[in-house]
Amino acid sequence: MFVKSSLIAIALALSTGASPVLEGLGASVSFGKRDGLTNEDGWFDHQRAMQQVVYDRNKHRQNMINLERNVGKEAFNEGAHILPLSNYSSQPQKRQAEKLTDEANDEYWAGPISIGTPGQNFLIDFDTGSSDLWVPSTGCTSSYCRKKDKYNATASSTSVHKSGTFSIQYGDGSQVSGPVYAETVSVASVTVKNQAFSPVTTISPSFGSEAADGILGLAFPAISNLRQSPFLNTAKSQGAVKSGVFGMKLAKSGSELFLGGTDTSLYSGSPEYHAVTGSGFWQISSGSIVNSTQTIVSNFQTIIDSGTTIIYGPPSSVATFYESIPGSQVYDSQNGFYSFPCGNLPTTVAFNWGGKNWTISPANFNLGKVSATECIGAIAGQDLGLGSNTWLLGDSFMKNVYTAFSFDANSVGFAQLK
């Protein structure tokens, strides 16, 4: 069971590598997760997965709205568009062979931060697929905020109320919204001043059951709803870190966010870096997906997003991929999930960007059983509005590698986990 207090443990570290990406101060945040799409008994949580798809569609719908407003449609990938708002109520109920236990779980990577002076502590979802920071405020009186830590502006000597508002719509008919403030924000030993964020007064029911209090986005300013500098960009500009780089290890235990460099104790060799090609996103080009020795689909864009479990691809490309797995078939056409024989779990599915094959382990590819013999794959066919030739790689991919994100070199790198 996920316990919030168990995550309030911060380990400080210094980066010691010789690569330019590693120089400067570094600070690590230990964080944790709990699986939400596979129940403890190994069965696929279809209802939770459908909610994740709707959340991801609406999250990136808002990102595209922000990108158009902040930069213009010229920054869109080919075929990108702003989707209509998706809604949970439109999702079909899928009958399953056995009853699933609803653990009320969700999927996130969360760790501690503090906001204000003196610091007020929060458990935060670190998300490479968005760019803003928000937490509940004492002005949020709904039942969904009841168990959350809440920001009290009057209790902080560094609180500054700014003009404007923050609002994101989600698929349950509600939104996360609130005013805009500037504050002192600390993540591990990295402290910045006048960081824009929103202490929200309304919160979506989809966040009510989560242990995390809010979200800290780690993507680029171009997709910021607040139209302000995200946390790490602010840290670099203020000299709180010398390197505009962060690294992530995502795992069932020992997960870590490292700010101001990468943690060389967690991976072997040097990261394989690829240039960022998309405005606002951690997007790299020339991607291909491989099964065994066969390249199934190639030359596509990929966005690396820690905010979801699922790997998404264009529906036609995903259909082509599953043709390489004998016995696979469409399980949920609306949400893009496929089933395959559990006894034929693929062991050689990998992504490649012109260098090494980065393989997805069988455990990370399998989202769980839907019958005694059928399982669900982590790759789903779905249009997220991000582009007709764009894939989005969630933690089902990221759990297999150490991922380095460099604002300085405008690149994403992958390395072999130790």
Side-chain angles (χ1 to χ4, degrees), residues 335-408:
N335 294 286
F337 291 110
Y338 283 72
S339 65
F340 61 90
C342 298
N344 195 27
L345 179 61
T347 61
T348 56
V349 174
F351 284 89
N352 183 295
W353 289 271
K356 179 180 177 179
N357 279 349
W358 300 99
T359 302
I360 302 171
S361 73
N364 289 328
F365 184 83
N366 183 11
L367 292 183
K369 299 180 294 184
V370 290
S371 74
T373 59
E374 294 294 306
C375 292
I376 297 294
I379 298 176
Q382 186 69 223
D383 176 15
L384 297 179
L386 297 169
S388 56
N389 193 36
T390 302
W391 291 60
L392 184 138
L393 277 54
D395 71 35
S396 289
F397 170 76
M398 293 180 69
K399 286 184 291 186
N400 303 278
V401 298
Y402 188 91
T403 311
F405 302 85
S406 176
F407 287 106
D408 293 347

Side-chain angles (χ1 to χ4, degrees), residues 50-113:
M50 291 190 294
Q51 291 178 354
Q52 180 74 69
V53 171
V54 172
Y55 173 87
D56 293 337
R57 283 173 59 91
N58 288 333
K59 167 182 154 179
H60 289 293
R61 171 183 183 271
Q62 185 65 54
N63 281 338
M64 298 308 294
I65 291 171
N66 297 342
L67 184 61
E68 180 181 22
R69 181 194 62 187
N70 295 344
V71 182
K73 282 191 174 181
E74 62 269 21
F76 282 21
N77 292 324
E78 182 179 353
H81 58 287
I82 297 172
L83 296 170
L85 188 69
S86 297
N87 196 287
Y88 293 141
S89 62
S90 68
Q91 303 300 299
Q93 296 292 325
K94 182 84 174 183
R95 293 184 180 274
Q96 306 207 48
E98 292 190 24
K99 183 178 179 181
L100 299 182
T101 302
D102 182 7
E103 297 293 334
N105 291 343
D106 210 334
E107 187 71 35
Y108 44 79
W109 301 93
I113 73 169

Side-chain angles (χ1 to χ4, degrees), residues 15 38 41 60 71 107 174 202 217 238 268 286 295 336 343 354 356 359 365 387:
S15 174
T38 309
D41 57 4
H60 289 293
V71 182
E107 187 71 35
S174 64
T202 62
Q238 293 183 4
S268 303
S286 302
T295 298
K356 179 180 177 179
T359 302
F365 184 83

Side-chain angles (χ1 to χ4, degrees), residues 89-386:
S89 62
S90 68
Q91 303 300 299
Q93 296 292 325
K94 182 84 174 183
R95 293 184 180 274
Q96 306 207 48
E98 292 190 24
K99 183 178 179 181
L100 299 182
T101 302
D102 182 7
E103 297 293 334
N105 291 343
D106 210 334
E107 187 71 35
Y108 44 79
W109 301 93
I113 73 169
S114 70
I115 302 175
T117 307
Q120 301 173 39
N121 296 325
F122 300 91
L123 188 64
I124 292 296
D125 175 7
F126 294 103
D127 180 14
T128 66
S130 64
S131 298
D132 296 305
L133 169 61
W134 64 263
V135 297
S137 78
T138 53
C140 182
T141 58
S142 79
S143 60
Y144 305 116
C145 287
R146 184 180 304 137
K147 295 182 179 180
K148 306 292 186 185
D149 290 319
K150 304 174 195 61
Y151 171 77
N152 184 350
T154 62
S156 173
S157 63
T158 48
S159 175
V160 179
H161 187 207
K162 310 291 282 187
S163 61
T165 58
F166 170 82
S167 179
I168 297 178
Q169 289 182 291
Y170 290 97
D172 49 14
S174 64
Q175 62 182 4
V176 172
S177 63
V180 179
Y181 275 72
E183 256 291 16
T184 297
V185 178
S186 295
V187 181
S189 62
V190 179
T191 298
V192 304
K193 298 178 180 178
N194 299 313
Q195 175 62 49
F197 83 109
S198 181
V200 300
T201 54
T202 62
I203 188 170
S204 166
S206 61
F207 289 102
S209 62
E210 292 186 0
D213 299 309
I215 291 175
L216 189 151
L218 291 165
F220 290 82
I223 60 171
S224 168
N225 186 285
L226 294 170
R227 307 183 83 169
Q228 299 292 329
S229 173
F231 174 81
L232 192 62
N233 305 73
T234 305
K236 175 66 182 298
S237 67
Q238 293 183 4
V241 293
K242 290 184 178 180
S243 177
V245 176
F246 66 96
M248 275 190 166
K249 174 190 175 182
L250 307 182
K252 288 186 177 299
S253 62
S255 298
E256 180 192 270
L257 167 68
F258 194 94
L259 299 172
T262 59
D263 187 343
T264 57
S265 70
L266 298 179
Y267 62 89
S268 303
S270 298
E272 177 187 291
Y273 279 97
H274 303 276
V276 168
T277 57
S279 296
F281 300 97
W282 291 108
Q283 176 179 314
I284 54 180
S285 64
S286 302
S288 61
I289 186 169
V290 177
N291 191 4
S292 187
T293 59
Q294 181 182 6
T295 298
I296 309 301
V297 184
S298 62
N299 199 30
F300 51 78
Q301 301 285 335
T302 45
I303 292 171
I304 312 302
D305 182 359
S306 66
T308 184
T309 296
I310 302 165
I311 298 169
Y312 295 101
S316 60
S317 296
V318 170
T320 299
F321 163 74
Y322 277 104
E323 289 174 0
S324 72
I325 302 177
S328 64
Q329 60 184 329
V330 174
Y331 176 75
D332 173 354
S333 60
Q334 181 168 343
N335 294 286
F337 291 110
Y338 283 72
S339 65
F340 61 90
C342 298
N344 195 27
L345 179 61
T347 61
T348 56
V349 174
F351 284 89
N352 183 295
W353 289 271
K356 179 180 177 179
N357 279 349
W358 300 99
T359 302
I360 302 171
S361 73
N364 289 328
F365 184 83
N366 183 11
L367 292 183
K369 299 180 294 184
V370 290
S371 74
T373 59
E374 294 294 306
C375 292
I376 297 294
I379 298 176
Q382 186 69 223
D383 176 15
L384 297 179
L386 297 169

